[in-house]
Amino acid sequence: MLDSCKLKSACNLPFICNKTLYGKIGKDRLNAVNKIINTAGTSNAEVPLADPGMYQLDITLRRGQSLAARDRGGTSDPYVKFKIGGKEVFRSKIIHKNLNPVWEEKACILVDHLREPLYIKVFDYDFGLQDDFMGSAFLDLTQLELNRPTDVTLTLKDPHYPDHDLGIILLSVILTPKEGESRDVTMLMRKSWKRSSKFQTQSLRLSDLHRKSHLWRGIVSITLIEGRDLKAMDSNGLSDPYVKFRLGHQKYKSKIMPKTLNPQWREQFDFHLYEERGGVIDITAWDKDAGKRDDFIGRCQVDLSALSREQTHKLELQLEEGEGHLVLLVTLTASATVSISDLSVNSLEDQKEREEILKRYSPLRIFHNLKDVGFLQVKVIRAEGLMAADVTGKSDPFCVVELNNDRLLTHTVYKNLNPEWNKVFTFNIKDIHSVLEVTVYDEDRDRSADFLGKVAIPLLSIQNGEQKAYVLKNKQLTGPTKGVIYLEIDVIFNAVKASLRTLIPKEQKYIEEENRLSKQLLLRNFIRMKRCVMVLVNAAYYVNSCFDWDSPPRSLAAFVVVEDMLEDEEEEDDKDDKDSEKKGFINKIYAIQEVCVSVQNILDEVASFGERIKNTFNWTVPFLSWLAIVALCVFTAILYCIPLRYIVLVWGINKFTKKLRSPYAIDNNELLDFLSRVPSDVQVVQYQELKPDPSHSPYKRKKNNLG
């Protein structure tokens, strides 16, 4: 643990290490700390008044006693946060339904000055809601003797209610002076991605042995199959259930199944497993209610430490605090190769390692691990001309690299509009049609990070080994913002595996924000929909003109039929309006808003479907267009050799026996899965690369430096 906490002494940054977990505090706090007068008590004689060195604080979080009850059942789900200088540097695991929790967790914190006390806060975890405060305490570091283990008992208090007894927290601490050679620091970000887009950052140091670090230890693959006999929450005796999953800071929300007590979800998603011993997945079931707070149906948990690796487990979980069961399939597999390293050391520049990667994705290994499609290496070199986010006219930029649900980040470069990161990130590719997203943020000490710019790069559009300057775009990726970022990207993949994966459901990002009503977005989707409809109308007119030169009467007849249909719909709408008058005014507003959002989303889906068909035939993505041509040629050859009735018979038998052969298989349509990979017109604009200012060319920059 001592070696894993080494850091640049010049940075003067406090870090925490819990195995491979670290937290970071801004170095600009040091000057302010040196000006603070020590009022906490008598300083230790061995601690100078303004010591420029660093100290290592090893803490063992033992247990809590007689903690406050915050849940309706008279218990709590407590966890502990450690803070220094206003920054969170450690968070414990959650102990469920226990007022006397035992943690026995160890952490190591590097601090640059002892005048900043350690702030301990205890919370009650409430999934889907704001966690309840259970008390806090301070540990005065100046009162600790150096190099001596000390048992500490802290009484928890609430500043607003100082007389309340909130229990105690027991710690064991040891403070030692810290000296050592400098080490570079890289960070891993796990986002809680709430609607406010606020996230928490954690940091990870490079491995001293391999010069690169495997960031998560495994993958937890979860298939939500169905619910059975769920509790009826609506007045009609039914529910509109959906399920929320949480593992640490990772979250997933299932789709809503309307009006049923036995929903069939058939959804699959993956979580990253960071702890070697496993973890606990919190699962809650909810009933969707328009215009008011969703109803709680029940909760359950999955203890991953009790499950064997490389094996699929079928779990039937009884919902606590409610009724019914949830049926899941859970599989724990070994970690994919995801790493961070220095620019000077990367996989593809090592000839031996490069040959191994090329061999892994060679055409001869088509059927070996179909989920492992390819290898992606991203060099994040530097950015130039970034937006100034601080009042000082500077920014504290760091860079986030995302591929589907895998996300890593660089260290922060303080007070700089032209930061240099020089980091290399590697990912395993599960879908060659994925989009690499690189986002630059400004780190803020006391609030969520500020957005500085973003680029989205489809993997199939990448030119290997070419260093390029990408113009940063706004959040919607519709226009440029200030600054450029220099990246060098390499993609190696197996084309046959990539083609086969195109015909299975696309991985969903479980951190995406819910769609909200937007006048501009609704109008844009309507115009897109109108374009698609007009294409169909024009095609219909063209077909009719081939057979009948006198089309006006037929058009008039069609117009009359459409008018009759619209009048019938309006009469039904009037009846619905009369029934809805019984509802409250607020419920009406919420209902109208939800209907508008639904219409907005439906317009987007229909317009995107038409645009994807068009973009398949106009070669927007050549790989997909060639794949469609090859598939049509193969199908034509099969039709030539085998009568159509036999093909239909085999297809029908396969469809009707699929549930018998694989009861828990996820339903899919290969054609729709193929089209989901084709970008819509909106995505084409988002992925379009903007031309940078010629002055940002790396070659011209070198020339200017030489001049």
Side-chain angles (χ1 to χ4, degrees):
M1 182 175 291
L2 292 177
D3 182 63
S4 66
C5 294
K6 292 182 179 179
L7 191 66
K8 285 185 178 181
S9 59
C11 290
N12 290 336
L13 302 177
F15 281 79
I16 178 161
C17 56
N18 181 15
K19 293 184 177 178
T20 58
L21 180 65
Y22 296 79
K24 178 174 64 62
I25 300 175
K27 64 178 182 179
D28 56 346
R29 186 176 294 275
L30 179 61
N31 295 332
V33 170
N34 287 332
K35 297 179 182 179
I36 298 176
I37 300 176
N38 184 4
T39 59
T42 306
S43 300
N44 192 301
E46 298 181 68
V47 182
L49 189 62
D51 194 343
M54 300 183 70
Y55 296 87
Q56 177 176 310
L57 180 64
D58 292 294
I59 306 176
T60 302
L61 175 60
R62 298 293 185 190
R63 62 186 186 275
Q65 291 182 0
S66 304
L67 301 185
R70 292 290 187 255
D71 294 338
R72 288 175 295 179
T75 63
S76 293
D77 305 317
Y79 66 92
V80 180
K81 291 181 182 180
F82 293 164
K83 289 188 174 184
I84 289 184
K87 280 288 186 177
E88 179 181 329
V89 293
F90 171 79
R91 178 181 294 201
S92 75
K93 63 185 178 183
I94 301 167
I95 305 296
H96 294 274
K97 300 186 182 303
N98 200 326
L99 298 182
N100 298 284
V102 177
W103 284 285
E104 293 296 337
E105 291 189 59
K106 295 183 178 180
C108 144
I109 306 173
L110 292 182
V111 293
D112 57 3
H113 208 285
L114 301 183
R115 289 200 177 102
E116 287 281 4
L118 179 68
Y119 188 26
I120 296 98
K121 300 180 75 174
V122 184
F123 291 90
D124 167 54
Y125 166 67
D126 286 325
F127 183 68
L129 304 173
Q130 183 175 358
D131 295 345
D132 298 320
F133 178 69
M134 296 178 62
S136 62
F138 287 92
L139 176 61
D140 187 356
L141 302 183
T142 63
Q143 301 299 313
L144 299 177
E145 295 187 28
L146 297 180
N147 302 311
R148 179 178 177 181
T150 306
D151 292 328
V152 179
T153 301
L154 299 173
T155 301
L156 297 176
K157 293 292 183 182
D158 187 339
H160 300 290
Y161 305 98
D163 297 333
H164 288 190
D165 183 11
L166 302 179
I168 60 175
I169 292 290
L170 286 78
L171 311 172
S172 294
V173 298
I174 180 171
L175 183 67
T176 55
K178 182 63 181 173
E179 294 181 0
E181 60 184 81
S182 63
R183 301 287 185 189
D184 198 5
V185 177
T186 345
M187 302 194 306
L188 162 71
M189 182 174 76
R190 303 302 308 163
K191 303 178 182 178
S192 62
W193 292 103
K194 300 180 180 178
R195 287 186 178 179
S196 63
S197 75
K198 183 177 180 180
F199 58 86
Q200 297 173 346
T201 58
Q202 301 170 354
S203 57
L204 186 70
R205 193 183 60 85
L206 298 177
S207 167
D208 294 327
L209 297 176
H210 303 290
R211 298 286 294 168
K212 60 184 180 180
S213 172
H214 293 269
L215 304 180
W216 40 85
R217 300 175 180 274
I219 302 294
V220 184
S221 180
I222 301 173
T223 303
L224 174 60
I225 302 297
E226 62 185 2
R228 298 175 183 169
D229 303 321
L230 300 184
K231 187 176 181 180
M233 306 302 295
D234 296 338
S235 58
N236 57 7
L238 299 173
S239 292
D240 304 313
Y242 65 92
V243 181
K244 291 181 178 180
F245 295 81
R246 177 168 176 171
L247 177 61
H249 296 299
Q250 304 171 83
K251 297 180 182 179
Y252 178 82
K253 178 181 175 182
S254 76
K255 59 187 176 185
I256 300 169
M257 305 301 293
K259 295 181 174 54
T260 179
L261 299 180
N262 298 282
Q264 297 284 326
W265 282 289
R266 306 296 171 113
E267 294 184 54
Q268 191 276 331
F269 60 95
D270 295 335
F271 280 153
H272 296 139
L273 188 62
Y274 290 88
E275 300 183 21
E276 191 170 326
R277 61 179 180 275
V280 176
I281 300 177
D282 294 304
I283 306 171
T284 53
W286 300 83
D287 167 56
K288 179 66 176 178
D289 284 329
K292 57 181 181 178
R293 186 173 180 177
D294 295 348
D295 297 322
F296 176 76
I297 296 179
R299 73 170 71 236
C300 55
Q301 293 180 337
V302 176
D303 185 359
L304 298 178
S305 62
L307 303 180
S308 57
R309 304 295 178 97
E310 309 298 336
Q311 181 180 346
T312 299
H313 304 267
K314 179 186 174 184
L315 305 178
E316 296 186 13
L317 305 173
Q318 171 72 43
L319 290 176
E320 301 175 4
E321 305 176 31
E323 300 175 6
H325 297 77
L326 293 179
V327 181
L328 312 174
L329 298 179
V330 181
T331 307
L332 277 66
T333 58
S335 173
T337 306
V338 180
S339 67
I340 304 174
S341 66
D342 287 327
L343 190 61
S344 58
V345 180
N346 62 79
S347 302
L348 296 182
E349 289 188 1
D350 185 335
Q351 187 61 32
K352 184 177 180 181
E353 194 164 355
R354 184 183 183 90
E355 290 175 359
E356 290 179 358
I357 294 172
L358 291 172
K359 182 180 178 182
R360 190 192 315 164
Y361 302 109
S362 68
L364 300 178
R365 296 172 64 87
I366 296 174
F367 299 105
H368 179 75
N369 191 4
L370 288 176
K371 290 186 177 181
D372 186 12
V373 172
F375 173 86
L376 172 67
Q377 177 176 281
V378 184
K379 295 181 182 179
V380 182
I381 301 169
R382 68 180 187 277
E384 292 181 354
L386 296 180
M387 186 189 311
D390 298 337
V391 293
T392 59
K394 299 288 185 179
S395 292
D396 304 321
F398 64 94
C399 186
V400 182
V401 183
E402 300 178 72
L403 184 68
N404 292 330
N405 292 311
D406 299 340
R407 54 192 52 83
L408 308 171
L409 73 96
T410 68
H411 60 283
T412 301
V413 179
Y414 291 94
K415 301 191 182 305
N416 201 321
L417 300 181
N418 302 288
E420 293 192 10
W421 293 290
N422 293 323
K423 294 298 173 187
V424 180
F425 301 88
T426 64
F427 299 88
N428 268 79
I429 301 173
K430 293 180 282 186
D431 188 349
I432 194 59
H433 310 288
S434 300
V435 177
L436 176 70
E437 295 182 359
V438 182
T439 312
V440 182
Y441 291 96
D442 167 65
E443 180 187 308
D444 277 327
R445 196 180 317 159
D446 302 319
R447 55 191 176 92
S448 59
D450 294 326
F451 176 86
L452 297 181
K454 181 178 183 179
V455 293
I457 309 168
L459 298 186
L460 286 172
S461 69
I462 291 172
Q463 298 176 351
N464 285 351
E466 180 182 355
Q467 181 179 330
K468 296 181 68 175
Y470 293 88
V471 176
L472 294 174
K473 297 183 178 182
N474 55 27
K475 285 185 179 181
Q476 293 75 30
L477 296 171
T478 55
T481 186
K482 193 174 181 182
V484 297
I485 185 168
Y486 289 88
L487 306 173
E488 183 179 326
I489 312 173
D490 289 272
V491 177
I492 298 173
F493 68 98
N494 185 301
V496 178
K497 283 185 182 181
S499 301
L500 294 176
R501 291 284 292 177
T502 304
L503 303 179
I504 66 174
K506 187 177 181 180
E507 180 182 6
Q508 298 297 318
K509 294 188 70 172
Y510 49 77
I511 61 170
E512 289 184 327
E513 296 182 5
E514 296 181 1
N515 291 325
R516 298 181 181 180
L517 183 60
S518 168
K519 180 180 177 182
Q520 292 80 5
L521 187 59
L522 184 61
L523 180 61
R524 185 186 71 181
N525 291 343
F526 178 78
I527 295 173
R528 293 168 60 204
M529 178 70 180
K530 182 180 177 182
R531 287 200 201 107
C532 294
V533 171
M534 290 306 299
V535 170
L536 296 177
V537 171
N538 292 334
Y541 276 126
Y542 178 78
V543 172
N544 287 337
S545 66
C546 295
F547 299 97
D548 188 0
W549 293 94
D550 193 14
S551 58
R554 184 170 299 179
S555 301
L556 181 61
F559 178 79
V560 172
V561 173
V562 172
E563 279 292 314
D564 290 339
M565 293 174 60
L566 290 175
E567 287 178 2
D568 293 339
E569 290 181 1
E570 288 176 0
E571 290 177 2
E572 292 179 2
D573 290 341
D574 292 339
K575 293 180 181 178
D576 293 338
D577 291 340
K578 291 178 181 178
D579 294 337
S580 65
E581 287 176 359
K582 300 176 182 178
K583 299 180 181 179
F585 178 74
I586 299 299
N587 287 348
K588 281 186 180 181
I589 297 298
Y590 281 113
I592 291 172
Q593 185 175 357
E594 291 220 353
V595 168
C596 291
V597 172
S598 299
V599 171
Q600 174 179 288
N601 294 339
I602 291 172
L603 289 175
D604 178 59
E605 290 178 7
V606 175
S608 296
F609 183 79
E611 292 167 355
R612 288 187 170 111
I613 294 175
K614 177 198 69 174
N615 292 336
T616 302
F617 291 98
N618 66 10
W619 294 80
T620 300
V621 181
F623 181 90
L624 290 171
S625 298
W626 276 116
L627 181 60
I629 290 176
V630 171
L632 289 174
C633 291
V634 171
F635 186 67
T636 302
I638 293 174
L639 281 177
Y640 181 79
C641 299
I642 304 174
L644 179 61
R645 60 180 180 272
Y646 293 127
I647 297 175
V648 174
L649 181 63
V650 171
W651 176 84
I653 292 174
N654 175 64
K655 284 293 182 183
F656 280 106
T657 61
K658 188 175 182 180
K659 287 294 180 70
L660 297 176
R661 291 182 284 108
S662 182
Y664 301 114
I666 297 176
D667 296 329
N668 73 300
N669 183 295
E670 288 78 7
L671 180 59
L672 295 180
D673 291 332
F674 171 85
L675 288 175
S676 69
R677 267 63 173 205
V678 182
S680 65
D681 288 352
V682 173
Q683 291 173 322
V684 169
V685 174
Q686 291 175 339
Y687 304 156
Q688 187 175 9
E689 186 179 332
L690 301 179
K691 293 183 179 180
D693 189 330
S695 63
H696 287 294
S697 170
Y699 306 105
K700 185 170 182 178
R701 187 170 179 260
K702 289 181 180 179
K703 184 178 179 180
N704 293 338
N705 291 338
L706 291 174

